[in-house]
Amino acid sequence: MTKFDTLLVANRGEIACRVMRTARAMGLRTIAVYSDADANARHVREADEAVRLGPAAARESYLNIAAVIEAARRTGAGAIHPGYGFLSENGAFVEALDQAGIVFVGPPASAIAAMGDKSAAKARMAHAGVPLVPGYHGDDQDDALLKAEADKIGYPVLLKASAGGGGKGMRVVESDAGFQAALDGCRRESQAAFGDQRMLIEKYLTQPRHVEVQVFCDAHGNGVYLFERDCSVQRRHQKVLEEAPAPGMTAELRRDMGEAAVRAAQEIGYVGAGTVEFLLDADSSFYFMEMNTRLQVEHPVTEMITGQDLVEWQLRVAMGEPLPLAQDELTITGHSFEARLYAEDPEQDFLPATGTLTHFAMDLEGAGLSSFEKGRARVRLDSGVESGDVVSMHYDPMLAKLIVHGDDRDQALATLNRALAALDVQGVITNRAFLQRLATHPAFKNAELDTRFIERHEATLF
Ligand code: ADP
């Protein structure tokens, strides 16, 4: 591993701004890349230098490996941070960087590949002693055999495309009568989306929570967990509100999940920041779901409760340094929430919204809040936009993330609600009112969480 003094951020929006903020604080020169649609975007304005990649279409810009590498060469960038999405979990990109002698701020290509295929990943995890949802993830894909496995697991079962992602090629099967039709449907969907028809079958948990563990490994064999996040509040498998720590965890369960997550990472030779996602059942059983081999959107809630800067950890690990802290030096202080502000219209089935942000600000003072309190961040707005910016339809509609910290969950939630009210966004429709309804919902206040929270409370949320 090599030291570097210039970092290219191969991303856009809030995450590009957020990564550059830490890079600057560490004394690194920052390079932005952009598509034609983003020529005047905030991440371009904030970088020391910016390079055009190509037209608006992501395929021709942010996903264009050759153009990104050429931009790094031209600007003398010794390392590339991929953010999340785009090229962040693309093994071919990592291999191309290895060949070009550019440091990838992330795991080795082999670790990305090990987690890229759901069936293969499950086999590895079983080997590492990480608990899996009861199910079938074998190579034999014969119809009759799959049906027999589903019968054995017991309905409802969940069919999942081995090569899947983003909820595609996934179906719940309520009873054996519907199995064959669901299998055919999933295979068609998976073939179309991923060019692959392999399926795995899992027991369908009816009220699980989504609890994920932040892990970090360095290149010297050290691995730690930075505790968990509860991301159960999802709409169509998209996270909306996240929090850390997860409510109701015992110290023992936290340690068991944390240690399982570190085992998962070390099994595949992981280096850098990763997230191991688990389903947590009502009886406190937890099951490995998948590992995301990148920095997550919701990483700030972990930063808020640990007081650590995860991007700084990533950059240090990429420079070959050992992890900044050992497991017993990490502690949880207070509680944190994150709300994702999307340019979308909840009144119109969450249709993405576009336009010019005539006004985008948060009046903290007016709300009686301050961004720092008792020496730590209390309200944080990670944003990719400012007043006057144009929101186009080309990319993910997330505008910003509002992150708060409190001494306990109740205090943090009260702060979240005040900060949401202090947000003033004009010119583009957002989901702010929907976030407010969620964050003031009695069931949410009581932490009655599971992945169908939004579905179950539809009547009172819309
Ligand atoms: P993808 O990679 O397509 O996002 P995941 O395997 O991560 O698919 O699952 C997405 C979501 O589906 C999870 O966050 C969870 O809400 C739900 N889910 C996945 N597996 C199960 C299961 N066995 N039982 C119940 N819900 C599940």
Side-chain angles (χ1 to χ4, degrees), residues 87-126:
L87 295 170
S88 60
E89 295 180 282
N90 184 317
F93 178 56
V94 179
E95 277 163 13
L97 291 186
D98 289 347
Q99 272 171 18
I102 298 168
V103 175
F104 177 67
V105 183
S110 57
I112 295 178
M115 285 299 173
D117 185 90
K118 285 188 206 283
S119 298
K122 294 221 152 152
R124 290 288 290 271
M125 292 303 105

Side-chain angles (χ1 to χ4, degrees), residues 118 133 158 160 164-168 170 202-205 208 210 234 237 277 279 289-290 451:
K118 285 188 206 283
V133 188
L158 185 62
K160 277 189 196 180
K168 283 207 192 91
M170 209 161 91
E202 284 179 2
K203 172 101 196 133
Y204 182 67
L205 308 178
H210 173 122
Q234 307 180 351
H237 301 309
E277 296 187 341
L279 290 173
M289 198 164 28
E290 67 176 348
T451 56

